[in-house]
Amino acid sequence: MKFSFAKVTNSRLMGTMGLLISWEDKQDKIVQYFLLDAEGLGLADYVSLKNPTKEEAYREEERLMGGLGSDRIRISEDEALFLIKYFGNKNSYYEKPLPGEVNEYIDIIKKYETKLHIEDIYPKICKPIKDEVEFINYMTMRFIAWDRESLKYFSGSEEIANMHITNINGTLLKNTVIPKGNKRYISEALYEDNDGYYTSKIAFSIEEYEYGFKISSMIATDKEPIFDFEVFDEISKPEFVSMYSISRVDKFLDIFYRDNPFTLKSDMENGTFFTRFNFNNDHVKNNVYVINNDIKAIYYQMGNEFFVGTYSDKDRKYINKILQCNYKEYLDIKEELYFEENVLYDFVESESNDFYDFLD
């Protein structure tokens, strides 16, 4: 089939990207959707659609890319196939199975020849950064994730690229950026490693050039362990919980997910959980970065109950107005509660089937 177009999210600095490739001939059209994980999984998800309707293609694209908070950048056939080959080889390196119908793309991984290198495509898969605090947050995130590739690209230094304090690809949970003047910054990082939670201070010296910023030097202090309840206190935030009763549960869930394909859907022990992310990653620009500040709302269906968690009064009004307008034949509001810290996700994870008992 003939290459039609391809696009990728410029979300490499968040660790994950969505890649879409469209092929067609006189009779058929095939669209391939890849989730690219730069932090150890390689190709993390794969789906293809043959002759999809516009609605089907839109829904699958939003499922893949809608929650990544990034722009979608057109790329060439060579660049798209290079990304499949490059990330597919990561699966082999990390001994992770390839996803989906492997026969539909395995020849690209094994046989495709290209002169491209990952550095060549970084300007397209990384968003342009014009803010110093945002750059420090991203570099702290990449350092905690033990992302040698990105540290090398944004420093040009093998020494910096090989620095790490984590045992695996760690997760930055919270970061406070403290400016020290003359493009010097301190990151006070709280992160998760494979053996627990830790804090560390990382000092950066950066420089600005034509296309953004580079790391001139960096150094990290020894890590200090922190208890999980302390972590919860650090990243928790006030939460509004709206409670609805549902009629015709299966019909409602089908329509709700069809209308909101950009939400992350998870099947839980007692129901279905949806996460709605913001459509940008502007939370990385803040002096205090918190991992869950990119979440706009969470939804949880359990039996004939539907719970909605939001994190500002503005979002509470907006989200619930949409629900009550668009799904009024399925939803009936029962109660709205306010909590000083996150409650709903803990309830979901607890596998309890009674919200009020859980609160007690």
Side-chain angles (χ1 to χ4, degrees):
M1 300 188 80
K2 185 179 179 181
F3 174 80
S4 178
F5 69 89
K7 50 187 171 180
V8 66
T9 57
N10 62 348
S11 52
R12 172 62 181 84
L13 291 177
M14 295 298 291
T16 305
M17 295 163 286
L19 170 66
L20 179 157
I21 309 177
S22 180
W23 309 87
E24 59 184 42
D25 58 22
K26 292 182 179 180
Q27 293 181 321
D28 294 313
K29 175 180 179 179
I30 292 178
V31 187
Q32 296 178 297
Y33 305 85
F34 296 87
L35 183 65
L36 313 178
D37 186 335
E39 297 180 0
L41 291 180
L43 298 181
D45 189 26
Y46 171 73
V47 171
S48 67
L49 296 178
K50 184 175 182 179
N51 298 323
T53 64
K54 287 185 178 180
E55 181 182 358
E56 289 170 339
Y58 164 77
R59 288 174 60 190
E60 192 58 41
E61 179 177 338
E62 291 306 308
R63 184 193 71 82
L64 174 69
M65 299 179 169
L68 297 178
S70 300
D71 294 333
R72 302 166 196 189
I73 309 300
R74 289 290 184 116
I75 57 175
S76 68
E77 179 180 7
D78 187 30
E79 290 169 328
L81 297 183
F82 164 77
L83 287 172
I84 296 171
K85 182 180 183 70
Y86 183 80
F87 282 91
N89 283 328
K90 284 182 177 286
N91 291 69
S92 176
Y93 179 82
Y94 290 109
E95 299 182 340
K96 302 291 185 181
L98 290 166
E101 296 294 330
V102 178
N103 62 295
E104 295 181 2
Y105 60 85
I106 189 63
D107 282 350
I108 299 173
I109 297 173
K110 290 185 174 181
K111 300 178 181 179
Y112 185 68
E113 298 292 335
T114 177
K115 295 181 179 180
L116 284 174
H117 297 89
I118 190 63
E119 297 83 5
D120 300 326
I121 202 169
Y122 249 71
K124 292 186 177 181
I125 61 177
C126 295
K127 64 166 292 186
I129 301 176
K130 300 179 181 179
D131 180 85
E132 294 183 10
V133 169
E134 183 181 19
F135 181 71
I136 295 298
N137 274 324
Y138 274 123
M139 292 304 100
T140 305
M141 197 184 303
R142 295 301 92 218
F143 175 61
I144 296 300
W146 203 346
D147 187 347
R148 299 181 184 90
E149 180 182 284
S150 290
L151 291 177
K152 174 66 183 300
Y153 180 81
F154 284 101
S155 70
S157 165
E158 288 287 352
E159 181 181 357
I160 290 176
N162 288 325
M163 294 175 64
H164 67 93
I165 54 173
T166 54
N167 302 319
I168 59 168
N169 308 108
T171 302
L172 182 65
L173 303 177
K174 182 178 180 179
N175 192 51
T176 302
V177 178
I178 302 171
K180 292 295 183 179
N182 296 321
K183 299 192 182 302
R184 293 177 295 122
Y185 292 86
I186 299 291
S187 278
E188 295 183 344
L190 167 61
Y191 64 94
E192 182 179 10
D193 206 348
N194 66 331
D195 58 351
Y197 300 99
Y198 296 91
T199 60
S200 179
K201 292 183 179 180
I202 305 107
F204 291 91
S205 177
I206 65 173
E207 59 184 277
E208 189 170 3
Y209 74 117
E210 182 181 0
Y211 301 107
F213 300 99
K214 291 277 189 181
I215 303 172
S216 301
S217 63
M218 63 178 287
I219 187 170
T221 64
D222 291 338
K223 60 186 181 182
E224 297 290 338
I226 182 172
F227 291 111
D228 53 0
F229 67 86
E230 295 177 290
V231 174
F232 178 81
D233 289 341
E234 288 288 337
I235 67 174
S236 187
K237 54 187 177 181
E239 183 175 55
F240 298 89
V241 176
S242 303
M243 303 168 61
Y244 294 84
S245 60
I246 314 174
S247 62
R248 292 181 286 167
V249 173
D250 291 342
K251 181 69 172 176
F252 165 71
L253 288 177
D254 180 64
I255 293 174
F256 178 79
Y257 191 45
R258 185 186 66 196
D259 291 345
N260 300 275
F262 43 78
T263 58
L264 177 63
K265 180 183 178 184
S266 306
D267 293 323
M268 310 300 289
E269 182 71 23
N270 292 330
T272 306
F273 184 71
F274 301 90
T275 306
R276 176 173 177 172
F277 297 95
N278 290 318
F279 292 136
N280 59 59
N281 288 313
D282 285 352
H283 64 301
V284 186
K285 297 178 181 179
N286 298 329
N287 281 75
V288 179
Y289 161 85
V290 182
I291 188 172
N292 57 13
N293 278 354
D294 63 342
I295 296 176
K296 191 175 188 70
I298 59 176
Y299 311 86
Y300 180 49
Q301 170 271 324
M302 182 184 68
N304 64 350
E305 294 180 291
F306 193 60
F307 301 85
V308 182
T310 50
Y311 305 98
S312 71
D313 193 48
K314 178 182 177 182
D315 283 342
R316 177 189 67 83
K317 293 175 180 177
Y318 171 73
I319 293 291
N320 285 281
K321 183 177 181 180
I322 289 176
L323 289 172
Q324 292 167 27
C325 288
N326 293 354
Y327 310 104
K328 57 186 176 182
E329 61 182 294
Y330 302 101
L331 297 178
D332 183 30
I333 186 73
K334 292 167 56 181
E335 190 171 4
E336 290 189 288
L337 303 171
Y338 173 79
F339 300 94
E340 293 290 342
E341 56 189 24
N342 299 119
V343 168
L344 185 53
Y345 185 71
D346 288 345
F347 170 62
V348 175
E349 283 204 315
S350 75
E351 299 182 1
S352 171
N353 57 12
D354 190 299
F355 188 59
Y356 295 106
D357 282 351
F358 171 79
L359 295 178
D360 291 338

